Amino acid sequence: MIPVKRLEIVIDAPHAESITRLLGRHGLSGWTQMRGASGAGERGRRLADEITGVSSNHVIVTTCPPERLDELLEELRALLVRHGGMCLVSDALWLKH
Amino acid sequence: MIPVKRLEIVIDAPHAESITRLLGRHGLSGWTQMRGASGAGERGRRLADEITGVSSNHVIVTTCPPERLDELLEELRALLVRHGGMCLVSDALWLKH
Amino acid sequence: MIPVKRLEIVIDAPHAESITRLLGRHGLSGWTQMRGASGAGERGRRLADEITGVSSNHVIVTTCPPERLDELLEELRALLVRHGGMCLVSDALWLKH
Amino acid sequence: MDLGLIAGNLLTPPVLFFALGMAATLLRSDLEIPQAVTRGLSLYLLFAIGMHGGVELAAAGFAADALLPLAAGVVASALVPAIVFGLLKKRFGAADAAAIGATYGSISAVTFITACSFLDDRGTAWSGTMVAAMALMESPAILVGVLLARRAGVRASDDGGDGDGPREGHGSLLREAFLNGPVFLLLGSLVIGMLTGEKGWKAVAPFAYEPFKGVLCLFLLDMGLIAARRLRALRESGAFLIGFSLIVPLVNASLAIGVARLLDFAPGDALLFTVLCASASYIAVPAAIRLTLPQANPSLFLPMSLAMTFPFNVTLGIPLYMTAIDLLWRTA
Amino acid sequence: MDLGLIAGNLLTPPVLFFALGMAATLLRSDLEIPQAVTRGLSLYLLFAIGMHGGVELAAAGFAADALLPLAAGVVASALVPAIVFGLLKKRFGAADAAAIGATYGSISAVTFITACSFLDDRGTAWSGTMVAAMALMESPAILVGVLLARRAGVRASDDGGDGDGPREGHGSLLREAFLNGPVFLLLGSLVIGMLTGEKGWKAVAPFAYEPFKGVLCLFLLDMGLIAARRLRALRESGAFLIGFSLIVPLVNASLAIGVARLLDFAPGDALLFTVLCASASYIAVPAAIRLTLPQANPSLFLPMSLAMTFPFNVTLGIPLYMTAIDLLWRTA
Amino acid sequence: MDLGLIAGNLLTPPVLFFALGMAATLLRSDLEIPQAVTRGLSLYLLFAIGMHGGVELAAAGFAADALLPLAAGVVASALVPAIVFGLLKKRFGAADAAAIGATYGSISAVTFITACSFLDDRGTAWSGTMVAAMALMESPAILVGVLLARRAGVRASDDGGDGDGPREGHGSLLREAFLNGPVFLLLGSLVIGMLTGEKGWKAVAPFAYEPFKGVLCLFLLDMGLIAARRLRALRESGAFLIGFSLIVPLVNASLAIGVARLLDFAPGDALLFTVLCASASYIAVPAAIRLTLPQANPSLFLPMSLAMTFPFNVTLGIPLYMTAIDLLWRTA
Ligand SMILES: Nc1ncnc2c1ncn2[C@@H]1O[C@H](COP(=O)(O)O)[C@@H](O)[C@H]1O
Ligand SMILES: Nc1ncnc2c1ncn2[C@@H]1O[C@H](COP(=O)(O)O)[C@@H](O)[C@H]1O
Ligand SMILES: Nc1ncnc2c1ncn2[C@@H]1O[C@H](COP(=O)(O)O)[C@@H](O)[C@H]1O
Ligand code: NA
Ligand code: NA
Ligand code: NA
């Protein structure tokens, strides 16, 4: 069991690729992405109901070694400032296999 | 990074709106909702396979300032008692942006 | 509020049933499953785009009493070694209802 | 008894695909149909049957004799829940008794559609009035069921009582009965079919009519998968309810055939009326009941209608009822 | 004014299903259509209209007089954003003004399709050239809108500037304009329709042509649900923008009718050209703008086009424009 | 070599839509099709081709000479994995060699369907027997591949060995081979087509037959998107496997044409037989292999069949094989 930081990122569907590219640049090669989430936040309701993905969120879950968290969050924050979205960080244990 | 409580609520699809309204009444205006989850619990298997949503769960993730948690959970519990479902609470850090 | 271990398991769609059966054998009768997740990991990108589920992940969230965690994780690890996938463990409180 | 008719019904593509779906689940094949596809198919069927019925209604004009079957349907749909409630209340409690009552008072659009296609195959005529009857029979049972439960002391659903909720309390009852998604689409399509008549139908028929039976096959394949998955839950609910879910359609069908005979329906309409009375809802009612009677256990009423009554009606029920009608109408 | 034409348009199945969808949302019915079905239906419509247009283009051959409408369309689609930008920049800032401009400069394929079906019902001819014009008018408005915003100081979207991102920076602008999913499918189907001509069309028509109007009904039902859900966001954006989203189509339509008259379009093509100018995008533009102008607020431009301009055009606009064209072409 | 035939095949809507899909991914368009729609389309295709084949089989009757192609197909489908396994075992290990062998021994229903539509366009007859052959060739390769791997020491899949798991161990092998979702639907539809014959087909054809080619276009668009996304994974698997995935179909096709000549197949059936042998599975096998041989790396066998062999067969292979057959059958 390896201690890691669990990140849970919600982002507009069209920007999801920016997030996974960002993760890649920070050497994080593991993530899970769920599509078609609806939600509400500072920019109002997002209904996940239309054709273009503009009203849909993607949820991206990833893990990060604690020591690399700060530099990742800095860039992530810049991206969320520009595009909206959300990121929660919590502690977790990764089941080594 | 703001410490928050992360709530993860699973509820029958037809009752999902009750949850988000409840959140709204408690001044929580941010949440993310995923549809079409299957599952198992005290009320048996829920297969997420038919037409009406009666066998589907929605998963709602939200955050709550620690000081407002108790009053929220009280009402939430009442709702879960009536409708079934589940709520997990954990600690997280919200990436301010 | 009951302290529990929250498990978040990502697994190839065709193996998801092995996981829920495993949970059942350990007396865990509550879980939530989301389908059609894409992702990346040691076995490369999984695009969740084709017909057979071979490139799709399922996400399974469950809770486990702390005292039963170890024996569960042991078997789970064996399964993940064979099939790939991921498991994160964290602390949570279960809202009793 | 006309075994040929039963065999004939069993050997049509829709029924065989239903069986294929059940077989897939029972043999543990991993065949599955995404929920979005299931819902898309059901939207199509409701749209198509609604438009079709509306057009036929418009063509027939509102004759006074159309009112009789409609009234008979509504009355049946209101009486059944009351009877079932009376029978089951002691044993299962008011909430579950009311939910099962509502389930059996309301109708199954897919059973109805399968019966239409059965009549078409035989060349027996049927009228658009029955589609209107179907649309009208969706809701009264929900109302009656919930009102009975309330009178018996089952608390109304509300979530904190702030009153701004659009779907709780007493107001929600009528809403769920008539604004329930499938009911709304069916009624709406019926009205649009009536308003746009032959001309609208001509534009829509290559989508709503011609491929209909083929789509029905795929949909019934899916229903077979779904129904068989409920067999286990059904087994857990005990022999009494399993028996109940076979006897109720037979009793309701007998009564319906009697009424149809008295009211002198044509054989095709008699079959459809019978099927409406004998079938149980698994679309409109379960959703409405979850919202208005959350105390009721969905693993009772849903498997009963989905895994027993529906398969029975689709395979054996329809030709059985037809045989009885053929016999009675001939002798009379 | 030809009230009969308006009533006639209102009483066709597609428009009635749109109204049914809006009613469902406004009455708080829980009718909903899964997003995957919505997307499947829109793929079908783009595929079908693209193929159809391509085949008609191939049949007509590339006459020189086909170029005139195409050029007119592209110019209109580039001018509108500039005008709108000028009008709104002070009040709403450069990013939102540019986004709204791009929205109104681009086109709505569904409005266009509804207009085609309106013309077919009336027996008025129209040409494949207009489908090509539609395809060409999707993108210029996006380019113009974003370039205006950039000139006004709105920063280009980039995410850290490492340059390896396929969809950021200036390169992404052209990509979003022309490789945007719906635009790409529409243009691709158009080209395939031209390449495979009559023979390809014969193979595809039982899927792409015959059920088309029926599918359109289901799609518009869904659009009604979706549009009505945006009414609240629209109300919050204020009376000015609500008015704006009704006046812009009228102004654009008037100008378009004038141009069509000058260029001597046939009445059917004149209506389609008018509808293209008067309609606003809610498929291609919003997605492209989210990527190239993330500063723009999607709860302004999306509800305006989806919840006001689209319903207006589909119900009242089309017959209104037709009436004007009938009048003008007759007198001229 | 008949370049006209190749060009002709390349210029049909299905192949062009496949190319459009690949282009969309390669040009980084954001065009995408929801997975539920992809799965819905594939269910439709399996249902339709199964019913169609079953009806043709029923019409032809079970002549003794139908057994020959069936037997040839099954033998081919069992031999190919053994040969491929022998060739690749050293280099890639038993698990991957067996998986790739199973992939190439089994068949691609979509390639088969595209070949049918190619024959229809040319007016060349083909028989329902080949559909039955296709259905029978799905599974043996899976069995052979897995058994070879087991003999070579690859451990059976099991998850703790409690034995109550429905899909592990040796029992799961047969289950995966024959109860695999797509195989089950195809075989089931075939049997239903045979049972219901002409009459069932007439009811279902407006859905299963007439729109078929149009649906195939949309499906191949999607396959193009999906295949191109695997090109990167393929590049990583190295030049050897890329070459392998082009040479295997050519070798298998040559052998198949020889066998077809010896057994004196008609040209249409010869092409279909060749296509079955030359094509590789990306539906039935990958799913079955994931469950029975989890040690095999899906980023080898899936991209090979999906991103190389499938595109090759659909664009160049089919007309190439036809040219060879035309030549050989003429001279013979
Ligand atoms: N407090 C929150 N908890 C969970 N999800 C949130 C929260 N705030 C925002 N989100 C998600 O992030 C999306 C974008 O948020 P925003 O940019 O603030 O509108 C929303 O649509 C939600 O899905
Ligand atoms: N321990 C658990 N872990 C994760 N999800 C659960 C758990 N218990 C219940 N659920 C979810 O909550 C739904 C309703 O639970 P219940 O009302 O207990 O049947 C289930 O169908 C599951 O999706
Ligand atoms: N670090 C991680 N964070 C989140 N999800 C992961 C992570 N690693 C792997 N996954 C998920 O687990 C799946 C299988 O991982 P693997 O077997 O390592 O390829 C991936 O496709 C991801 O969806
Ligand atoms: Na009934
Ligand atoms: Na416009
Ligand atoms: Na093969």
Side-chain angles (χ1 to χ4, degrees):
Chain A
M1 305 280 280
I2 304 168
V4 293
K5 294 290 175 181
R6 175 184 186 272
L7 277 78
E8 180 172 20
I9 302 162
V10 181
I11 188 90
D12 285 22
H15 296 304
E17 242 189 284
S18 312
I19 300 282
T20 53
R21 270 203 313 275
L22 178 70
L23 300 179
R25 284 202 301 275
H26 283 264
L28 303 178
S29 61
W31 41 265
T32 299
Q33 171 169 321
M34 275 158 295
R35 298 155 162 268
S38 55
E42 283 157 25
R43 291 172 306 142
R45 290 286 314 256
R46 297 180 52 71
L47 293 161
D49 63 351
E50 34 78 63
I51 297 150
T52 64
V54 169
S55 309
S56 292
N57 296 319
H58 285 197
V59 177
I60 297 172
V61 173
T62 189
T63 60
C64 175
E67 62 276 12
R68 270 195 273 160
L69 183 66
D70 287 343
E71 62 184 57
L72 175 65
L73 289 185
E74 198 174 314
E75 267 198 56
L76 202 54
R77 178 181 293 123
L79 217 153
L80 296 182
V81 166
R82 235 188 349 267
H83 299 325
M86 174 196 88
C87 172
L88 291 180
V89 181
S90 59
D91 291 315
L93 294 170
W94 163 281
L95 180 62
K96 215 189 158 200
H97 63 265
Chain B
M1 305 282 281
I2 304 168
V4 294
K5 294 289 176 182
R6 174 184 187 273
L7 278 78
E8 180 171 21
I9 302 161
V10 182
I11 187 92
D12 285 22
H15 296 304
E17 242 189 285
S18 313
I19 300 281
T20 52
R21 271 202 313 276
L22 177 71
L23 299 180
R25 285 201 302 275
H26 284 263
L28 303 178
S29 60
W31 40 266
T32 299
Q33 172 169 320
M34 275 158 295
R35 297 154 164 269
S38 56
E42 283 157 27
R43 290 172 305 142
R45 289 286 315 256
R46 297 181 51 70
L47 293 161
D49 63 352
E50 35 76 65
I51 296 150
T52 64
V54 168
S55 309
S56 292
N57 296 319
H58 285 197
V59 178
I60 298 172
V61 172
T62 189
T63 60
C64 174
E67 62 276 13
R68 270 194 273 160
L69 184 64
D70 287 343
E71 62 183 57
L72 175 65
L73 289 185
E74 198 174 316
E75 268 198 56
L76 202 53
R77 178 181 294 124
L79 218 152
L80 296 182
V81 166
R82 237 191 344 269
H83 299 323
M86 174 197 88
C87 171
L88 291 181
V89 181
S90 59
D91 291 315
L93 295 171
W94 163 280
L95 179 63
K96 213 187 160 203
H97 62 264
Chain C
M1 305 282 282
I2 304 168
V4 293
K5 294 289 175 183
R6 174 184 187 271
L7 277 78
E8 180 172 20
I9 301 161
V10 181
I11 187 91
D12 285 22
H15 296 304
E17 243 189 282
S18 313
I19 300 281
T20 52
R21 270 203 313 275
L22 177 70
L23 300 179
R25 283 202 301 275
H26 283 263
L28 303 178
S29 60
W31 41 266
T32 300
Q33 171 170 321
M34 276 159 295
R35 297 155 163 267
S38 56
E42 283 156 27
R43 292 173 304 142
R45 290 285 315 255
R46 297 181 52 70
L47 292 161
D49 63 351
E50 34 77 65
I51 296 149
T52 63
V54 168
S55 309
S56 292
N57 297 318
H58 285 197
V59 178
I60 297 173
V61 173
T62 189
T63 59
C64 174
E67 62 275 13
R68 269 195 273 160
L69 184 65
D70 287 343
E71 62 184 56
L72 175 65
L73 289 185
E74 198 175 316
E75 266 197 58
L76 202 52
R77 178 180 293 123
L79 218 153
L80 295 183
V81 165
R82 233 185 357 263
H83 299 324
M86 174 197 89
C87 171
L88 291 181
V89 181
S90 59
D91 291 315
L93 295 170
W94 163 282
L95 179 64
K96 215 189 158 200
H97 62 262
Chain D
M1 202 172 116
D2 190 345
L3 286 174
L5 199 59
I6 292 183
N9 182 52
L10 290 180
L11 282 180
T12 56
V15 175
L16 287 172
F17 274 100
F18 181 75
L20 187 68
M22 290 199 87
T25 298
L26 296 176
L27 296 170
R28 292 181 175 170
S29 163
D30 60 358
L31 181 61
E32 66 178 15
I33 296 185
Q35 202 187 2
V37 174
T38 308
R39 297 183 81 145
L41 292 174
S42 74
L43 289 170
Y44 168 83
L45 293 179
L46 291 167
F47 159 79
I49 195 79
M51 280 290 289
H52 196 173
V55 172
E56 302 235 343
L57 269 185
F62 258 133
D65 56 343
L67 289 178
L68 208 61
L70 296 183
V74 171
V75 170
S77 159
L79 276 184
V80 169
I83 300 170
V84 171
F85 183 78
L87 290 173
L88 298 182
K89 194 186 146 189
K90 268 266 172 64
R91 195 165 183 141
F92 295 93
D96 284 330
I100 298 175
T103 302
Y104 281 87
S106 184
I107 58 89
S108 153
V110 184
T111 312
F112 180 85
I113 288 168
T114 312
C116 295
S117 131
F118 171 86
L119 289 173
D120 290 348
D121 283 353
R122 287 179 93 223
T124 309
W126 52 278
S127 76
T129 317
M130 297 317 295
V131 180
M134 171 181 70
L136 291 181
M137 285 172 74
E138 291 261 16
S139 305
I142 301 172
L143 289 174
V144 173
V146 176
L147 290 176
L148 286 171
R150 300 256 166 105
R151 262 198 17 187
V154 178
R155 203 159 46 102
S157 164
D158 56 69
D159 65 1
D162 63 351
D164 76 3
R167 306 185 60 191
E168 281 94 30
H170 283 81
S172 80
L173 185 50
L174 279 167
R175 165 161 297 120
E176 279 316 311
F178 292 104
L179 295 180
N180 182 294
V183 175
F184 192 81
L185 177 54
L186 185 64
L187 286 172
S189 304
L190 193 85
V191 171
I192 292 178
M194 285 175 56
L195 287 175
T196 59
E198 247 345 290
K199 206 181 151 202
W201 184 238
K202 242 183 73 186
V204 163
F207 176 62
Y209 183 65
E210 276 143 45
F212 189 84
K213 282 195 192 166
V215 179
L216 184 61
C217 290
L218 268 194
F219 187 71
L220 282 173
L221 171 72
D222 197 9
M223 291 299 298
L225 294 168
I226 294 172
R229 286 187 204 122
R230 263 87 190 159
L231 281 177
R232 191 188 308 192
L234 187 70
R235 238 179 296 137
E236 281 162 19
S237 68
F240 180 83
L241 284 185
I242 297 181
F244 195 87
S245 56
L246 288 180
I247 292 168
V248 170
L250 287 173
V251 171
N252 283 351
S254 314
L255 295 174
I257 293 176
V259 170
R261 192 76 208 84
L262 282 178
L263 299 181
D264 207 28
F265 287 10
D269 286 3
L271 179 73
L272 294 182
F273 182 72
T274 305
V275 160
L276 289 175
C277 293
S279 69
S281 171
Y282 42 84
I283 299 188
V285 172
I289 289 292
R290 274 315 282 151
L291 283 161
T292 51
L293 265 186
Q295 299 87 346
N297 182 355
S299 61
L300 292 181
F301 59 86
L302 196 58
M304 285 174 71
S305 84
L306 201 49
M308 283 313 289
T309 307
F310 175 64
F312 172 75
N313 276 327
V314 161
T315 53
L316 303 178
I318 292 175
L320 200 68
Y321 309 150
M322 194 73 244
T323 309
I325 289 168
D326 280 346
L327 227 76
L328 262 166
W329 265 241
R330 210 179 305 136
T331 58
Chain E
M1 200 172 118
D2 192 344
L3 286 174
L5 199 59
I6 293 182
N9 182 52
L10 291 179
L11 283 180
T12 56
V15 175
L16 288 172
F17 274 99
F18 181 76
L20 187 69
M22 290 199 87
T25 299
L26 297 176
L27 295 170
R28 291 179 174 171
S29 163
D30 59 359
L31 181 61
E32 66 178 14
I33 297 185
Q35 203 188 358
V37 173
T38 307
R39 296 183 83 144
L41 292 175
S42 74
L43 290 170
Y44 169 82
L45 292 180
L46 291 168
F47 159 78
I49 195 80
M51 280 289 287
H52 195 174
V55 172
E56 303 236 341
L57 268 186
F62 258 134
D65 55 343
L67 289 178
L68 208 60
L70 298 183
V74 170
V75 169
S77 159
L79 277 184
V80 169
I83 300 170
V84 171
F85 183 76
L87 290 174
L88 298 183
K89 193 188 146 188
K90 270 264 173 65
R91 195 162 182 145
F92 294 92
D96 284 330
I100 298 175
T103 303
Y104 281 88
S106 183
I107 58 89
S108 153
V110 185
T111 312
F112 180 84
I113 288 167
T114 313
C116 295
S117 132
F118 171 85
L119 289 173
D120 289 350
D121 283 354
R122 286 179 93 221
T124 308
W126 53 277
S127 76
T129 317
M130 298 317 295
V131 181
M134 171 180 72
L136 292 181
M137 286 172 74
E138 291 261 16
S139 305
I142 301 172
L143 289 175
V144 173
V146 176
L147 290 176
L148 285 171
R150 301 255 165 107
R151 262 199 16 187
V154 179
R155 205 158 45 101
S157 164
D158 57 67
D159 66 0
D162 64 350
D164 77 2
R167 305 186 62 192
E168 283 94 28
H170 284 81
S172 80
L173 184 49
L174 279 167
R175 165 162 297 120
E176 279 316 312
F178 292 105
L179 295 180
N180 183 294
V183 174
F184 191 81
L185 178 54
L186 185 63
L187 286 172
S189 304
L190 192 84
V191 170
I192 293 177
M194 286 174 56
L195 288 175
T196 59
E198 248 345 292
K199 206 181 151 203
W201 183 239
K202 244 183 73 186
V204 164
F207 176 61
Y209 183 65
E210 275 144 44
F212 189 84
K213 282 193 193 168
V215 179
L216 184 60
C217 289
L218 268 195
F219 187 71
L220 282 173
L221 171 72
D222 196 9
M223 291 299 297
L225 294 168
I226 294 173
R229 285 186 205 123
R230 263 84 190 160
L231 281 175
R232 192 190 304 194
L234 187 72
R235 238 179 294 137
E236 281 163 18
S237 67
F240 181 83
L241 284 184
I242 297 181
F244 196 87
S245 57
L246 288 180
I247 292 168
V248 170
L250 287 174
V251 171
N252 284 351
S254 311
L255 295 175
I257 293 177
V259 170
R261 193 74 209 82
L262 282 177
L263 300 181
D264 209 28
F265 286 11
D269 287 3
L271 179 73
L272 294 181
F273 182 71
T274 305
V275 160
L276 288 175
C277 293
S279 70
S281 171
Y282 43 83
I283 299 187
V285 172
I289 289 291
R290 273 316 281 152
L291 283 161
T292 49
L293 267 185
Q295 299 89 345
N297 182 353
S299 62
L300 292 181
F301 60 86
L302 196 59
M304 285 174 71
S305 84
L306 201 49
M308 284 310 292
T309 307
F310 175 65
F312 172 74
N313 275 328
V314 161
T315 53
L316 302 178
I318 292 174
L320 200 67
Y321 309 151
M322 194 74 244
T323 309
I325 288 168
D326 280 348
L327 226 76
L328 261 168
W329 266 240
R330 210 180 304 135
T331 58
Chain F
M1 200 172 117
D2 192 345
L3 286 173
L5 198 60
I6 294 183
N9 182 51
L10 291 179
L11 284 180
T12 56
V15 175
L16 288 172
F17 274 99
F18 181 75
L20 187 69
M22 289 200 88
T25 298
L26 296 176
L27 296 170
R28 292 181 172 170
S29 163
D30 60 358
L31 181 61
E32 64 177 16
I33 297 185
Q35 203 187 0
V37 173
T38 307
R39 296 183 83 144
L41 293 174
S42 74
L43 291 170
Y44 168 82
L45 293 180
L46 292 167
F47 159 78
I49 196 80
M51 281 288 289
H52 195 172
V55 172
E56 303 236 342
L57 269 185
F62 258 133
D65 57 343
L67 289 178
L68 207 60
L70 296 184
V74 170
V75 170
S77 160
L79 277 184
V80 169
I83 300 171
V84 172
F85 183 76
L87 290 174
L88 297 183
K89 194 187 146 189
K90 269 265 171 66
R91 196 166 182 142
F92 295 93
D96 284 330
I100 297 175
T103 303
Y104 281 88
S106 183
I107 58 89
S108 153
V110 184
T111 312
F112 180 85
I113 288 168
T114 312
C116 296
S117 133
F118 170 86
L119 289 173
D120 289 348
D121 284 353
R122 285 179 93 221
T124 308
W126 52 278
S127 76
T129 316
M130 297 318 294
V131 180
M134 171 180 73
L136 292 181
M137 286 172 75
E138 292 261 16
S139 305
I142 302 172
L143 290 174
V144 173
V146 176
L147 290 176
L148 286 171
R150 300 256 164 105
R151 262 198 17 186
V154 179
R155 203 159 44 103
S157 165
D158 58 68
D159 65 1
D162 63 351
D164 75 3
R167 305 186 60 192
E168 282 94 29
H170 284 81
S172 80
L173 185 50
L174 279 167
R175 166 162 296 121
E176 279 316 310
F178 292 103
L179 294 181
N180 182 294
V183 175
F184 191 81
L185 177 55
L186 185 64
L187 286 172
S189 304
L190 193 85
V191 171
I192 293 178
M194 285 175 58
L195 288 175
T196 59
E198 250 341 295
K199 206 181 152 202
W201 183 239
K202 242 184 75 186
V204 164
F207 175 61
Y209 183 65
E210 276 144 43
F212 189 84
K213 283 195 191 166
V215 179
L216 183 61
C217 290
L218 268 194
F219 187 71
L220 282 173
L221 171 72
D222 197 8
M223 291 299 297
L225 293 168
I226 293 172
R229 283 186 206 124
R230 263 85 189 158
L231 281 176
R232 193 188 307 192
L234 186 71
R235 238 179 294 138
E236 281 162 18
S237 68
F240 181 83
L241 285 184
I242 297 181
F244 195 88
S245 57
L246 289 180
I247 291 168
V248 171
L250 286 173
V251 172
N252 284 352
S254 312
L255 295 174
I257 292 178
V259 170
R261 192 74 209 80
L262 282 177
L263 300 181
D264 208 28
F265 287 10
D269 286 4
L271 179 73
L272 294 182
F273 182 70
T274 306
V275 160
L276 289 175
C277 292
S279 70
S281 171
Y282 43 83
I283 298 189
V285 172
I289 289 292
R290 276 314 282 150
L291 283 161
T292 51
L293 266 186
Q295 299 88 344
N297 181 355
S299 61
L300 292 181
F301 61 84
L302 196 58
M304 283 174 71
S305 85
L306 200 49
M308 283 312 290
T309 307
F310 175 64
F312 172 75
N313 275 328
V314 161
T315 54
L316 303 178
I318 293 174
L320 200 67
Y321 310 151
M322 194 73 244
T323 309
I325 290 168
D326 280 345
L327 226 75
L328 263 166
W329 266 241
R330 210 179 306 136
T331 58

